[in-house]
Amino acid sequence: MRAHEAGALHAQAGHRAPPWLSAPRDVNDLVPQLWSSTAKKTGEGSLVVGGVDVRDLVAEHGSPAYVLDEDDFRTRARAFKNAFKDFDVYYAGKAFLSTTVVRWVMEEGLNLDVCSGGELAVALKAGADPKRLGFHGNNKSESELARALDAGVGRIIADSLYEIDRLIALARERGVVAPVMIRVTAGVEAHTHEYIATAHEDQKFGFSITSGAAFEAVAKVNEAAELELLGLHSHIGSQIFDSSGFEVAAKRVIALHARVSDELGVDMPEIDLGGGFGIAYTTQDDPSDPAQLATEMGKIVEHECRAFGVDVPKISIEPGRAIVGPAMCTVYSVGTVKEVELDNNAARTYVSVDGGMSDNIRAALYDADYSCTLANRYSDAPPTLARVVGKHCESGDIVVKDEFLPGDVGPGDLVAVPGTGAYCRSMASNYNHVPRPPVIAVKDGQTRVVVRRETEDDLLLLDMGVEGQVSEANNPIEPTPSLSPEPSASEVEE
């Protein structure tokens, strides 16, 4: 169900928590499954991540700030690598990507999936082995495809007949053979928000198995001397908590795999079942761990291959959110708190912070739920049901729709939101001309700037009318002093 047109604040009456949210016994406690593995509260009630007190982090780097737990990221990447030991594991870079993260991914033995020329540029800049890259996208330009071929990308996931034609022409010009997988839609709609369910028929991605378009695409690639047919790629959606959708999709994909073998005499070496593995954003979420997923998906693939009488191909998966999502939290400073009277003698406490939909659009876009905690002190005040909102000029600018915070939360306090590693920085914007926050990696009590904070000077650099612009009075317009904090020397690292 989509959020209310006027914003999610109109959707529920105040002081009535959703059914899954219960008042905590101690509002200061963390819910461990929502946070990175090193996150904890001190005796003073402050949040510590990677051995770094967020009060010190904010004092040095300002707020809001994304805080990335390096040990947690690496541990989750390693868990997928070890659990899916017979699979190829591709980190889905669209969740969050930087040159530092690319290096972590490569060092942990994972491959990397990119889906734009920009993401490919980051991967190559970081020194990633091109053979360990997969290139997605439903509308790759000729220049993007050319760059992928020139770099020697390990596989290109074709999404249309036009793209196949472009690849043939570009590969022929270069005298190379392009490694290609075919993105297929298996007709499976994951149990998730319709905007992030990608395998049903009525959407932009892939070739339909049901209509025969997928078989046609496979035949076209197989006939082209300039292309190497690697196999089929399927992705059924995002934030998925069980393997039932993968089971239906695998059956249909392996059926097509067997048909290609029977009718074209081609034994494709690979199948990619995509990603979409869910994480816990709130206590209502119950995700599977990598070991459980690996066991269930391995059994599914073996069963279906045996049923269709084909050898088990090399299987790959693409976790993104499940690795980086819990490894990051966002720390905000509280600016104002107000109690708003509603109908039927209800009220709502609004806690306004210094970020919002420009650093996390998911609540507004997907009606996503998040949790949060008071991060700078212990409070013995009773819990109150609050709504954490941003500073943007939108009534739907909501960070956390419903959560219990101490009743004395006020200006100057820090509030931290867990589970913000996936898509928050990737989908961040400069709405209302708000500069985007930095990404600060933490490990063993040390901080490292992965992506520096934007400044107003950064925004103005793109405005080509600033220099030399003349006002109506024919007087030069004086540049406006920047109000954003200047990046420290360490923040210019990457």
Side-chain angles (χ1 to χ4, degrees):
M1 181 178 294
R2 296 295 294 140
H4 191 284
E5 182 177 342
L9 78 168
H10 297 277
Q12 300 173 2
H15 285 345
R16 298 188 186 97
W20 52 266
L21 181 62
S22 300
R25 284 187 292 180
D26 186 344
V27 73
N28 298 281
D29 288 345
L30 296 182
V31 180
Q33 65 265 33
L34 307 185
W35 294 86
S36 68
S37 55
T38 71
K40 62 181 182 180
K41 287 286 191 75
T42 68
E44 297 177 342
S46 63
L47 177 66
V48 173
V49 184
V52 176
D53 192 313
V54 297
R55 296 174 300 182
D56 298 330
L57 185 146
V58 169
E60 180 178 0
H61 299 285
S63 69
Y66 301 108
V67 182
L68 176 58
D69 186 337
E70 178 179 347
D71 281 342
D72 189 82
F73 182 99
R74 288 181 178 272
T75 297
R76 293 177 192 276
R78 204 172 300 137
F80 271 97
K81 175 70 174 177
N82 294 338
F84 288 87
K85 58 183 181 299
D86 296 325
F87 289 40
D88 282 336
V89 180
Y90 282 75
Y91 171 70
K94 66 177 183 174
F96 172 70
L97 198 66
S98 72
T99 53
T100 297
V101 163
V102 172
R103 294 185 191 112
W104 293 351
V105 167
M106 295 289 120
E107 288 166 4
E108 295 301 333
L110 274 62
N111 300 323
L112 175 65
D113 170 70
V114 298
C115 58
S116 72
E119 290 183 359
L120 177 59
V122 172
L124 296 176
K125 179 69 173 180
D129 179 357
K131 295 297 182 185
R132 292 168 61 184
L133 303 180
F135 191 16
H136 269 287
N138 67 297
N139 187 26
K140 309 178 196 70
S141 68
E142 286 197 14
S143 61
E144 288 175 323
L145 291 171
R147 186 173 193 180
L149 291 176
D150 291 340
V153 164
R155 64 185 192 181
I156 299 172
I157 296 86
D159 204 274
S160 70
L161 295 176
Y162 288 105
E163 182 179 347
I164 293 172
D165 287 336
R166 290 171 189 158
L167 279 170
I168 292 172
L170 290 166
R172 183 182 300 130
E173 289 175 5
R174 286 159 173 74
V176 299
V177 176
V180 174
M181 297 191 81
I182 301 296
R183 173 81 180 253
V184 300
T185 51
V188 180
E189 184 166 2
H191 299 292
T192 185
H193 191 289
E194 67 171 308
Y195 282 13
I196 50 176
T198 55
H200 55 89
E201 298 290 341
D202 188 12
Q203 47 96 23
K204 71 176 186 176
F205 290 108
F207 296 92
S208 167
I209 294 177
T210 303
S211 72
F215 186 84
E216 177 187 354
V218 169
K220 185 178 181 69
V221 170
N222 184 56
E223 292 170 358
E226 298 85 358
L227 306 181
E228 177 189 4
L229 177 62
L230 296 181
L232 306 175
H233 184 290
S234 168
H235 181 68
I236 63 172
S238 299
Q239 192 61 354
I240 302 166
F241 292 120
D242 62 66
S243 61
S244 58
F246 291 106
E247 183 173 3
V248 177
K251 181 173 184 176
R252 296 176 183 177
V253 171
I254 293 172
L256 176 59
H257 179 91
R259 180 188 172 193
V260 170
S261 179
D262 291 341
E263 298 186 22
L264 300 181
V266 177
D267 293 323
M268 296 181 290
E270 299 183 32
I271 287 179
D272 192 312
L273 294 177
F277 311 116
I279 66 170
Y281 287 106
T282 67
T283 54
Q284 66 184 317
D285 299 325
D286 185 23
S288 302
D289 64 28
Q292 179 183 352
L293 288 168
T295 298
E296 293 174 355
M297 294 181 70
K299 288 180 179 178
I300 288 168
V301 170
E302 290 177 5
H303 177 271
E304 297 303 330
C305 286
R306 186 166 55 249
F308 285 100
V310 295
D311 293 333
V312 177
K314 186 68 174 181
I315 305 296
S316 50
I317 58 166
E318 298 170 357
R321 181 200 315 264
I323 293 174
V324 72
M328 190 184 291
C329 66
T330 306
V331 181
Y332 301 96
S333 294
V334 176
T336 66
V337 178
K338 65 172 69 171
E339 190 86 359
V340 177
E341 294 183 1
L342 306 176
D343 295 335
N344 302 318
N345 296 317
R348 194 189 305 281
T349 300
Y350 279 85
V351 178
S352 296
V353 297
D354 54 354
M357 64 193 303
S358 62
D359 59 74
N360 187 352
I361 192 64
R362 294 188 70 256
L365 185 62
Y366 299 134
D367 205 17
D369 289 312
Y370 282 89
S371 177
C372 63
T373 191
L374 181 66
N376 62 302
R377 62 181 174 87
Y378 179 86
S379 172
D380 56 9
T384 186
L385 188 62
R387 174 161 289 165
V388 180
V389 296
K391 64 183 291 180
H392 299 282
C393 193
E394 292 284 343
S395 60
D397 178 23
I398 296 171
V399 179
V400 181
K401 287 184 292 184
D402 297 286
E403 184 56 281
F404 286 95
L405 286 172
D408 63 352
V409 63
D413 278 329
L414 301 180
V415 171
V417 178
T420 57
Y423 305 104
C424 292
R425 181 56 174 81
S426 293
M427 300 175 77
S429 73
N430 293 126
Y431 184 49
N432 291 154
H433 279 63
V434 173
R436 287 175 290 185
V439 179
I440 311 296
V442 292
K443 177 181 170 64
D444 298 332
Q446 302 296 315
T447 64
R448 176 186 179 190
V449 178
V450 171
V451 180
R452 72 163 172 83
R453 182 182 301 279
E454 287 184 336
T455 68
E456 289 177 2
D457 288 340
D458 291 324
L459 304 183
L460 292 173
L461 281 173
L462 303 177
D463 189 333
M464 301 307 293
V466 173
E467 295 299 327
Q469 187 176 354
V470 177
S471 69
E472 292 182 1
N474 204 33
N475 293 320
I477 294 178
E478 294 295 328
T480 304
S482 174
L483 300 179
S484 298
E486 291 297 323
S488 64
S490 63
E491 287 185 309
V492 191
E493 176 192 340
E494 292 181 6

